[in-house]
């Protein structure tokens, strides 16, 4: 990237698995200098997703330390003294056992900030992972989710917090601990579900006839005709009798789609500026 807004920021990461490493990776792409300390066994991600681990740790200096040992604690102290911000993903009780609770950390390193990735801001010491956070917010269907939404939302908020640290340092603000809760980040991103927009029967959950997954002659298409310019173009293209009530079923639209192949529909979408994509 040509733009490096985090240039000069020195990040020390203790974060394992996905959210903190993803945030650290983003910070490095934006110019921060990132170092990481891992336990002797390494980051679990390196075992269950080695390709992902390699991608997220490009250009990041990684060192393994057993923080239970006095010698390693001394090495950690030297790293902390050189860092601007500590990025963590442990539960608060685990950080306190390591002597890295915010009060102790701030007393020992008054210029150091912290970005703490936690499971939940309300119950940060409770066990949990992405699947349980999605279940807690009622986002699961019968199948496992197609993505780690809580982890990814939390990673983005942690990266935003690192931006906040950089700005705070430039302004001369007093260092503080910025907490990021994975379930809280997911809840913010899932607001359309909470509002009812994407729930079954909601406007974007099956009620709007122009916002659907629909079969065509040889597959399925994703149709997202919401704005009037799109619904008007769709109605004309499909030969629907106007005015169309898009909040009621439109069997004529389904019949029109079923008569066309995926390739034909993709060509029509390009010609008439329709938000339509063939599903793989």
């Amino acid at each position: 990237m040509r733009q490096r807004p985090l240039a000069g920021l020195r990040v020390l990461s203790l974060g394992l698995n996905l959210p903190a490493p993803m945030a650290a990776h983003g910070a490095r792409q934006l110019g921060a200098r990132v170092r990481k300390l891992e336990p002797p066994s390494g980051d679990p991600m390196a075992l269950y997703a080695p390709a992902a681990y390699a991608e997220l740790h490009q250009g990041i200096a990684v060192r393994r330390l057993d923080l239970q040992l006095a010698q390693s604690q001394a090495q950690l102290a030297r790293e902390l003294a050189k860092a601007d911000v500590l990025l963590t993903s442990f539960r608060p009780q685990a950080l306190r056992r390591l002597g890295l609770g915010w009060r102790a950390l701030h007393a020992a390193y008054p210029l150091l900030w912290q970005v703490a990735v936690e499971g939940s801001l309300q119950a940060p010491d409770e066990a949990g992972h992405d699947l349980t956070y999605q279940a807690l917010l009622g986002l699961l269907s019968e199948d496992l989710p197609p993505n780690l939404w809580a982890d990814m939302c939390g990673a983005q908020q942690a990266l935003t917090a690192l931006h906040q640290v950089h700005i705070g340092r430039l302004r001369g603000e007093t260092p503080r601990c910025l907490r990021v809760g994975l379930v809280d980040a997911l809840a913010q991103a899932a607001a359309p579900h909470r509002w009812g927009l994407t729930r079954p029967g909601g406007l974007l959950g099956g009620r709007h006839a122009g916002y659907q997954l629909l079969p065509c002659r040889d597959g399925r298409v994703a149709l997202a005709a919401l704005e009037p310019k799109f619904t008007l173009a769709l109605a004309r293209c499909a030969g629907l009798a106007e005015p169309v009530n898009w909040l009621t079923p439109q069997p004529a639209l389904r019949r029109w789609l079923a008569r066309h192949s995926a390739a034909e529909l993709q060509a029509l979408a390009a010609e008439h500026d329709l938000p339509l994509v063939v599903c793989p």
Side-chain angles (χ1 to χ4, degrees), residues 194-275:
R194 174 167 50 83
W195 297 332
L197 285 174
T198 57
R199 292 179 183 271
L203 180 67
L204 307 183
R207 186 180 178 197
H208 194 291
Y211 193 93
Q212 300 276 342
L213 292 174
L214 295 169
C216 60
R217 196 171 70 207
D218 56 355
R220 192 171 64 154
V221 296
L223 177 63
L226 282 176
E227 292 93 331
K229 64 177 182 179
F230 292 139
T231 55
L232 181 61
L234 177 61
R236 290 175 176 173
C237 191
L240 303 182
E242 298 186 59
V244 179
N245 181 358
W246 291 101
L247 300 184
T248 61
Q250 294 296 321
L253 173 62
R254 290 178 172 267
R255 290 193 296 268
W256 177 75
L257 290 168
R259 290 196 302 267
H260 290 80
S261 68
E264 290 170 343
L265 290 171
Q266 195 76 74
L268 286 168
E271 180 184 353
H272 296 280
D273 189 32
L274 291 175

Side-chain angles (χ1 to χ4, degrees), residues 22-244:
M22 177 65 77
H25 170 70
R28 184 191 172 279
Q29 286 187 310
L30 295 175
R33 190 181 74 181
V34 182
R35 296 176 63 82
K36 183 183 180 187
L37 301 179
E38 295 180 355
S41 59
D43 189 324
M45 186 195 295
L47 297 177
Y48 64 71
Y53 176 88
E55 179 180 326
L56 295 183
H57 291 78
Q58 290 180 8
I60 294 178
V62 179
R63 186 176 184 181
R64 293 187 178 185
L65 286 180
D66 186 350
L67 297 183
Q68 306 296 331
L69 302 178
Q71 181 180 359
S72 295
Q73 284 285 342
Q75 293 174 342
L76 172 62
R78 289 193 290 270
E79 293 286 350
L80 289 169
K82 295 184 293 184
D84 298 316
V85 56
L86 175 65
L87 175 62
T88 61
S89 63
F90 295 104
R91 287 184 264 182
Q93 59 188 8
L95 287 173
R96 288 192 293 270
R97 286 197 298 268
L98 294 171
L100 297 175
W102 173 243
R103 289 186 180 181
L105 197 64
H106 186 54
Y109 309 94
L111 298 180
L112 184 71
W113 293 67
Q114 183 183 9
V115 172
V117 178
E118 302 169 354
S120 165
L121 297 182
Q122 291 72 37
D125 283 319
E126 287 187 2
H129 264 300
D130 189 281
L131 184 63
T132 58
Y133 303 143
Q134 293 200 44
L136 185 65
L137 294 176
L139 300 177
L140 297 181
S141 61
E142 294 182 0
D143 300 320
L144 288 171
N147 200 7
L148 302 175
W149 299 117
D151 285 354
M152 296 305 295
C153 291
Q156 288 302 308
Q157 286 203 2
L159 180 56
T160 299
L162 290 172
H163 278 271
Q164 189 176 344
V165 168
H166 192 46
I167 294 170
R169 291 184 65 253
L170 294 176
R171 291 178 175 176
E173 297 177 6
T174 301
R176 57 191 185 274
C177 178
L178 305 179
R179 300 169 61 211
V180 174
L182 298 181
V183 70
D184 306 272
L186 178 61
Q188 185 177 32
H193 182 267
R194 174 167 50 83
W195 297 332
L197 285 174
T198 57
R199 292 179 183 271
L203 180 67
L204 307 183
R207 186 180 178 197
H208 194 291
Y211 193 93
Q212 300 276 342
L213 292 174
L214 295 169
C216 60
R217 196 171 70 207
D218 56 355
R220 192 171 64 154
V221 296
L223 177 63
L226 282 176
E227 292 93 331
K229 64 177 182 179
F230 292 139
T231 55
L232 181 61
L234 177 61
R236 290 175 176 173
C237 191
L240 303 182
E242 298 186 59
V244 179

